[in-house]
């Protein structure tokens, strides 16, 4: 019988890689807590229409990447391809706007897109994202960008740059769209097939094409920055000034458009030089129209999402991970000693120590080898002699120091043990 394999485009994450994930989650949580963002958890599947209306039917995500299916009640459901639509649905459904003011939210979790799997691109992938709902202020745009750069910086990542653009408001974009179509139409036959199709449906998205020939044509296309109205211009100038005030470097990138209808004004990406083709680690922008288009009150908003798989690749390039090390590895042999070791493990855990109990019953030397492999800080050894005398051998693995301890005393010296463990770090 054949073995069952994980679905193409999904991965199992286990040690030691998992410690990179823990680090990312910890750093993100810390940065976001400090800025008083609240975590929100929304369901992994939603009605398909949420994404069709929220993300837009002309987008790649909705057009060809969604995992949609009918459930037993014949409802069309979709595994969320991104986080914003669900957060906005929850915001509207739970009247979060009714409390007034600004809501600062963040989320994390798996997302699903039917794409061609490759390095940094999967079918189940993970994002951390933020959404600030209820503010049109350029300071909100800059706050979220600063948070993204802080998270990446605190992770020790380098060679990142922030690409910045404004896609204006609906009117600006309409005028730009006409100019862009007028420019591109004579080149229609030379565009890649996807872009030819987009020329009618979603022309701004052509600026995003990965096709070399299309890119060359797009090079000389009109710039959206020349089509911004006065309000959009002012907003964008303020965003740039505030970024400069915060010492956050950016590159103006007029070709950066997020082809979704609800995006307005600020659009940005953070890209890495160290990732090859899948270079974007963070994408975001302002979406002043989304809440309304999903049936809520007019609510200005801005947010981003960071792709965690790509961060893990970058962290792996920087060096080996740091898996959690046990404080104590508990070694025992013989019936009585083994029973006492179980008890001791429990007692030490209750005192807050991390303790791994060897269950192998194999020779002491083998148990020590495993302790070394786990990089335990110390071993506690119980043999028959120790079991008889209610003692334990405490062996510090780095210094090889060894001492005989009375069990009761050991357990009453939690603070001293903690001290000694801390000194090892
Ligand atoms: P890309 O151009 O790489 O397809 P995107 O514009 O579709 O990205 P967003 O929807 O803005 O991506 O998602 C934000 C981030 O989530 C991306 O910058 C990326 O880091 C990550 N991401 C998106 N799709 C995937 C995927 N299939 N696998 C892994 N990470 C992804
Ligand atoms: Mg994509």
């Amino acid at each position: 019988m054949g073995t069952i394999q994980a679905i193409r485009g999904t991965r199992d994450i286990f040690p030691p890689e998992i410690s990179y994930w823990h680090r990312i989650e910890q750093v993100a949580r810390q940065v976001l807590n400090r800025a008083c963002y609240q975590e929100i958890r929304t369901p992994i599947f939603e009605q398909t229409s949420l994404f069709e209306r929220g993300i837009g039917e002309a987008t790649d995500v909705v057009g060809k990447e969604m995992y949609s299916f009918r459930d037993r009640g014949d409802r069309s459901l979709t595994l969320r391809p991104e986080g914003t639509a669900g957060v906005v649905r929850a915001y509207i459904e739970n009247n979060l706007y009714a409390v007034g003011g600004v809501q600062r939210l963040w989320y994390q979790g798996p997302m699903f897109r039917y794409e061609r799997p490759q390095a940094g691109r999967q079918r189940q992938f993970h994002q951390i994202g933020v959404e600030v709902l209820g503010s049109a202020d350029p300071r909100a745009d800059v706050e979220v960008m600063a948070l993204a750069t802080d998270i990446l910086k605190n992770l020790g990542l380098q060679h990142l740059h922030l690409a910045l653009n404004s896609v204006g408001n609906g009117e600006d974009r309409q005028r730009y769209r006409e100019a862009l179509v007028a420019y591109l139409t004579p080149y229609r036959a030379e565009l890649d097939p996807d872009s030819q199709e987009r020329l009618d449906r979603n022309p701004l998205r052509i600026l995003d094409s990965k096709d070399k020939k299309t890119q060359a044509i797009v090079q000389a296309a009109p710039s959206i920055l020349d089509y911004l109205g006065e309000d959009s211009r002012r907003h964008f100038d303020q965003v740039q000034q505030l970024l400069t005030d915060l010492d956050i470097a950016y590159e103006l990138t007029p070709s950066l458009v997020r082809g979704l209808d609800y995006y307005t004004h600020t659009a940005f990406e953070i890209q890495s030089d160290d990732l090859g083709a899948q270079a974007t680690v963070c994408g975001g922008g302002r979406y002043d129209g989304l809440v309304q288009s999903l049936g809520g009150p007019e609510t200005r908003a801005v947010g981003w999402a960071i792709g965690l798989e790509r961060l893990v690749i970058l962290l792996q390039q920087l060096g080996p991970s740091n898996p959690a090390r046990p404080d104590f590895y508990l070694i025992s042999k013989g019936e009585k000693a083994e029973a006492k070791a179980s008890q001791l493990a429990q007692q030490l855990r209750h005192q807050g120590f991390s303790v791994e109990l060897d269950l192998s019953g194999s020779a002491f030397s083998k148990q020590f080898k495993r302790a070394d492999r786990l990089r335990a800080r110390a071993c506690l050894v119980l043999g028959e002699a120790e079991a008889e005398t209610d003692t334990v051998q405490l062996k510090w693995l780095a210094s090889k120091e060894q001492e005989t301890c009375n069990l009761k005393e050991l357990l009453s010296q939690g603070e001293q043990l903690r001290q000694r463990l801390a000194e090892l770090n």
Side-chain angles (χ1 to χ4, degrees), residues 23 89 93 109 140 177 198 207 254 296:
R23 206 168 121 219
R89 182 208 38 77
E93 188 172 343
R177 188 186 160 120
R198 284 179 184 140
L207 300 179

Side-chain angles (χ1 to χ4, degrees), residues 91 94-103:
Y91 175 84
N94 298 288
N95 301 326
L96 295 188
Y97 51 84
V99 297
V102 176
Q103 293 274 343

Side-chain angles (χ1 to χ4, degrees), residues 94-231:
N94 298 288
N95 301 326
L96 295 188
Y97 51 84
V99 297
V102 176
Q103 293 274 343
R104 291 177 163 90
L105 302 171
W106 73 277
Y107 60 83
Q108 65 168 332
M111 308 293 161
F112 306 85
R113 295 184 194 175
Y114 193 80
E115 301 197 68
R116 194 167 69 78
Q118 49 200 298
R121 189 176 297 286
Q122 292 173 205
R123 291 182 174 173
Q124 174 173 336
F125 62 99
H126 299 79
Q127 288 181 335
I128 288 179
V130 304
E131 317 291 354
V132 176
L133 294 134
S135 175
D137 195 309
R139 285 179 297 170
D141 309 37
V142 172
E143 177 172 294
V144 298
M145 286 189 263
L147 289 171
T149 54
D150 276 350
I151 290 171
L152 301 171
K153 202 167 12 160
N154 290 2
L155 284 167
L157 301 180
Q158 290 170 327
H159 313 132
L160 296 170
H161 31 92
L162 171 63
L164 180 70
N165 194 22
S166 170
V167 296
N169 60 26
E171 276 171 40
D172 305 335
R173 233 178 7 262
Q174 189 51 41
R175 270 183 291 138
Y176 176 63
R177 188 186 160 120
E178 283 161 21
L180 185 64
V181 171
Y183 167 81
L184 287 173
T185 301
Y187 297 105
R188 180 184 282 270
E190 291 161 64
L191 298 173
D192 62 276
D194 270 350
S195 295
Q196 289 187 14
E197 199 199 331
R198 284 179 184 140
L199 195 50
D200 307 311
R201 290 200 307 153
N202 199 356
L204 267 62
R205 201 75 195 163
I206 297 175
L207 300 179
D208 212 27
S209 169
K210 306 275 190 293
D211 181 81
K212 286 271 174 298
K213 211 166 154 199
T214 302
Q215 278 177 350
I217 295 169
V218 157
Q219 278 276 307
S223 160
I224 185 143
L225 295 179
D226 296 327
Y227 289 78
L228 297 184
E230 205 183 311
D231 289 350

Side-chain angles (χ1 to χ4, degrees), residues 61 65 82 113 115 120-123 125-127 205 208 210 258 269 278 280-284 305-310:
V61 170
E65 296 175 358
E82 54 99 59
R113 295 184 194 175
E115 301 197 68
R121 189 176 297 286
Q122 292 173 205
R123 291 182 174 173
F125 62 99
H126 299 79
Q127 288 181 335
R205 201 75 195 163
D208 212 27
K210 306 275 190 293
R258 322 213 79 223
E269 285 186 356
Q278 268 60 248
T280 305
V281 294
C282 176
I306 289 180
L308 303 195
E309 276 75 9
R310 296 179 194 179

